[in-house]
Each structure stands twice: as structure tokens, then as C-alpha cells.
Amino acid sequence: MPVSLLSSVLVAPILTVPADVNIPPNTSGLPGIDQLRTIVGAIMTVGLILSVLALIVAAVVWGFGANSSNPHMASRGKTGVLVSCGAAVLCGAAVTLVNFFWHVGQSV
């Protein structure tokens, strides 16, 4: 009898499997979630406006550099145009990127 008691004690913990944990995002769990969404949307708008401003400034620098035969200034202007366009893409695609990686994380 002691062998069966020992085997049941050793096998029992292995057979118990915990249930799946399912915790969805809670949109009403904390006060101020709606205000936080408004603030994040305003920050995205400011980021897009600053990207347009940076694009204009970089294009002007690029133009001055090209017309004054200053390759260093023209190169900096080109880099500024690319960086400002990249910043605009990131600001515009932020929600889509976060949702994509959220769904990737949920499928793991």
C-alpha cells in the first residue's frame, strides 16, 4: 500500500493544469482614460504639425545648400527631409503599429 500512496502523491501535482488566463484591456478601469486618449491624440497632432514644419525647414536648407554650391548644407537638408518624413510616418502609423503588435502578442 505505501507504493501506491507514494505514486499518487507524486503523480497528482503533475496532472493538475492551471486554467488559461484571459485578461482583456479595460477601458473603464481607471479614472481619466478618456482624457488620456484626448491628450495622446493631441500629442499626435502636434507631432504631425512639427513634422510638416521640419519638412519645410529642411527643404529650405536643402535648396539654399544646392543653390549656394554647399554640398554639406544640401546633404543636411536631404537628411532633414528624410527624418521629417519618417517622423510623420511614425506619428501616423503609431496606432496601427501598436494594434499590430498587440495582436501578435495575443496570438503567442
Side-chain angles (χ1 to χ4, degrees):
M1 200 51 115
V3 174
S4 65
L5 178 65
L6 181 64
S7 66
S8 66
V9 170
L10 293 177
V11 173
I14 297 173
L15 296 178
T16 58
V17 177
D20 291 337
V21 178
N22 186 9
I23 304 173
N26 187 355
T27 59
S28 62
L30 291 173
I33 294 292
D34 291 330
Q35 291 82 9
L36 186 60
R37 280 193 184 134
T38 304
I39 291 169
V40 169
I43 290 172
M44 286 174 58
T45 303
V46 169
L48 288 172
I49 291 170
L50 290 176
S51 295
V52 170
L53 178 64
L55 179 66
I56 293 168
V57 170
V60 168
V61 168
W62 185 2
F64 280 140
N67 287 330
S68 66
S69 298
N70 188 345
H72 181 70
M73 186 184 285
S75 174
R76 291 294 180 179
K78 290 177 190 178
T79 303
V81 167
L82 291 175
V83 168
S84 64
C85 288
V89 167
L90 284 177
C91 284
V95 174
T96 304
L97 287 171
V98 169
N99 284 334
F100 171 75
F101 285 112
W102 170 260
H103 292 301
V104 168
Q106 291 298 309
S107 66
V108 171

